[in-house]
Amino acid sequence: MTATITEPTTTTEPALADLKVTATGAEWLRKLSAVGVAISSRPAVPILSFMVIECNRGKATLVGYDYSTTASARLNHEPVNALRNTKALIPFHWLVRTIRVLTNRKRDVPVTVESKDLLGRRLTTVTAAGYTIPFLHSVGLSEYPTIPSHGVLDAFDLDREDLAGALNRATVSASRDDTLPILTSIKLDCSGKKLTIHATDRYRLSAETLKLPRTVQEFSFLLQAASWKAMSKHLVAEKITVGVLAAADIANRIGGCETLNIGSGDVAFTLSPIGGDYPKIDSLFEAEYGQTLDVNRRDLLDQVLVARELNERNIPALVRIGPGSVSVSPSYHEGAEQAATPALLADTVNITEPATVAYNPHYLLDAINAIKTEAVRFSFFKLTKPVCIAPVNEKGKKQGTYRHLLMPVRLPGDVLNGGE
């Protein structure tokens, strides 16, 4: 008779090595802030309120995930001999609050975060300034969603000033209406050695083209404007690396779609694509315009600010254009004949007759603020059509390609003619 030995089965997770990492309070809070981009204060799934600390080859990385964005940050910590390859699940908001409170008087004090098994549960402690604060939970790593793995199709570096500046200017034109999620995005199109950035909310749109250091894998990606705004303050190194990724197949998800990785220094964000067709807006920009007006940006900005502050709510500002001059004033229905606004000197081309057009002063202010050159150019064929607002490039300085298209607002004839 032959005896058969059956291996016992178990449903418990394999034991994880203890984790212990020490860094300054300032370093912890700085990197936790970056990881927090991918962790909601009220996540739809409770497990997403946790983050992962992963130690590999003596280096610790913090990771947050919300199904659409992965945020990772390498921690600059003290060397610890006992640091082994392991992972730990840590309650994110508890950790941030605890470190912030314990280092309130001095952010540079050492903070040690430990995680170890205790009777089948996970015990996390934070030690700083003489305090040791514990947190005990029974959530296992197996419950945390699988973070997709990716293959790198291509990657390129750009100066932070160039890429971040272009994306910041694009957010001005992106919609804030969440019922139209596609229009809340910034469209990135890469072809050859050019990266084109578009954004629109149907009333205004912007476009800008950046030159790339070499020919790059062609791709198109919709980047949520709100996501970029949250990420941008953590991308502080001189260079920003953009990686075009391909996701692998995982449970309940088909891989292969392009994914974008944006990183700088110790921080990186991996972003899943947004589905849908972005409006085709390239054709709305003309290569050349029949009429142009160049004016000092600072002087024009001052007048737009006055119009915005003095206008009634939802009332547009009046822009009066004539040969060699331009002015921006609030709209007046009564007593308009008594109103006066100083005319600004302008270099005009093919403008022979005075005309008045109305624009939303908030939108006009956003467009002018996005331009940093000394002079700004207004280009158009007819004032009843969208106007193209762009920088006037200066000799000896880097040439900008930013263009902003703004729709005029229709007004009754008595308003348009009241001040003339």
Side-chain angles (χ1 to χ4, degrees):
M1 182 175 181
T2 305
T4 303
I5 300 176
T6 304
E7 293 289 339
T9 57
T10 178
T11 57
T12 60
E13 297 182 23
L16 291 172
D18 293 347
L19 179 144
K20 183 177 181 181
V21 184
T22 301
T24 65
E27 174 67 7
W28 275 110
L29 292 175
R30 183 163 52 248
K31 298 303 169 59
L32 287 169
S33 178
V35 172
V37 170
I39 299 178
S40 171
S41 58
R42 292 183 177 179
V45 182
I47 191 67
L48 296 182
S49 64
F50 285 76
M51 73 168 196
V52 175
I53 298 183
E54 182 175 0
C55 297
N56 188 23
R57 297 182 179 179
K59 299 294 182 181
T61 303
L62 315 183
V63 180
Y65 181 55
D66 65 358
Y67 288 114
S68 62
T69 302
T70 305
S72 63
R74 293 191 301 269
L75 193 69
N76 295 319
H77 55 82
E78 296 179 3
V80 180
N81 294 332
L83 197 63
R84 290 172 285 179
N85 294 352
T86 187
K87 294 181 180 180
L89 207 57
I90 309 290
F92 176 80
H93 299 290
W94 170 83
L95 183 61
V96 172
R97 184 175 66 254
T98 303
I99 294 176
R100 185 178 291 136
V101 170
L102 296 186
T103 63
N104 183 50
R105 293 188 61 185
K106 190 177 180 182
R107 295 295 189 203
D108 289 335
V109 300
V111 176
T112 300
V113 176
E114 287 188 75
S115 179
K116 58 185 177 182
D117 280 325
L118 182 65
L119 300 177
R121 303 176 74 184
R122 201 70 180 173
L123 174 66
T124 300
T125 58
V126 175
T127 302
Y131 290 88
T132 296
I133 309 298
F135 187 95
L136 190 64
H137 68 83
S138 56
V139 181
L141 270 168
S142 62
E143 300 176 47
Y144 199 74
T146 302
I147 298 175
S149 57
H150 301 87
V152 179
L153 298 179
D154 208 339
F156 57 91
D157 292 338
L158 284 173
D159 288 340
R160 183 191 185 281
E161 183 179 350
D162 293 340
L163 181 58
L167 290 173
N168 288 339
R169 287 186 285 272
T171 59
V172 168
S173 304
S175 175
R176 294 164 180 79
D177 183 2
D178 291 333
T179 61
L180 295 170
I182 289 179
L183 296 186
T184 64
S185 304
I186 302 168
K187 189 169 190 285
L188 307 180
D189 284 310
C190 183
S191 179
K193 293 185 177 181
K194 292 183 178 180
L195 177 66
T196 304
I197 300 171
H198 288 126
T200 184
D201 63 359
R202 295 178 298 172
Y203 305 105
R204 51 187 170 169
L205 59 92
S206 63
E208 189 165 359
T209 301
L210 300 179
K211 291 183 179 180
L212 302 180
R214 58 175 177 80
T215 301
V216 173
Q217 165 79 32
E218 185 173 319
F219 72 89
S220 181
F221 189 86
L222 295 181
L223 170 63
Q224 282 280 353
S227 296
W228 166 251
K229 187 175 180 180
M231 293 186 305
S232 60
K233 58 186 177 183
H234 304 293
L235 303 171
V236 296
E238 292 183 1
K239 297 283 186 180
I240 292 179
T241 300
V242 179
V244 186
L245 312 178
D249 291 345
I250 60 173
N252 302 320
R253 183 175 298 185
I254 299 175
C257 56
E258 287 178 354
T259 303
L260 213 63
N261 180 273
I262 301 178
S264 180
D266 292 334
V267 176
F269 302 94
T270 301
L271 308 160
S272 299
I274 299 170
D277 295 326
Y278 200 79
K280 295 177 173 58
I281 61 178
D282 283 334
S283 60
L284 299 177
F285 287 99
E286 301 288 346
E288 294 183 3
Y289 291 86
Q291 299 172 295
T292 63
L293 179 150
D294 296 354
V295 63
N296 181 276
R297 189 190 73 89
R298 182 68 255 181
D299 293 340
L300 183 66
L301 192 63
D302 289 342
Q303 290 201 354
V304 177
L305 282 167
V306 170
R308 186 194 67 175
E309 295 301 319
L310 298 184
N311 256 12
E312 296 294 331
R313 182 177 174 83
N314 296 326
I315 298 298
L318 300 181
V319 180
R320 293 184 169 86
I321 296 174
S325 69
V326 65
S327 66
V328 183
S329 64
S331 297
Y332 298 100
H333 290 272
E334 297 181 2
E337 65 279 0
Q338 302 298 321
T341 301
L344 303 175
L345 293 177
D347 293 330
T348 56
V349 175
N350 295 332
I351 298 177
T352 58
E353 299 292 335
T356 302
V357 65
Y359 296 109
N360 182 313
H362 299 275
Y363 291 175
L364 188 57
L365 188 65
D366 286 341
I368 298 172
N369 271 328
I371 295 170
K372 303 304 178 185
T373 54
E374 184 176 345
V376 61
R377 173 170 294 168
F378 285 63
S379 304
F380 47 87
F381 284 111
K382 293 177 63 177
L383 286 176
T384 55
K385 300 294 183 180
V387 62
C388 181
I389 304 172
V392 177
N393 290 317
E394 304 166 14
K395 291 183 179 180
K397 293 188 177 181
K398 194 171 185 177
Q399 304 297 294
T401 62
Y402 179 76
R403 294 176 297 167
H404 190 109
L405 215 57
L406 181 60
M407 291 286 293
V409 179
R410 290 186 179 182
L411 281 180
D414 61 327
V415 175
L416 289 176
N417 299 323
E420 299 180 17

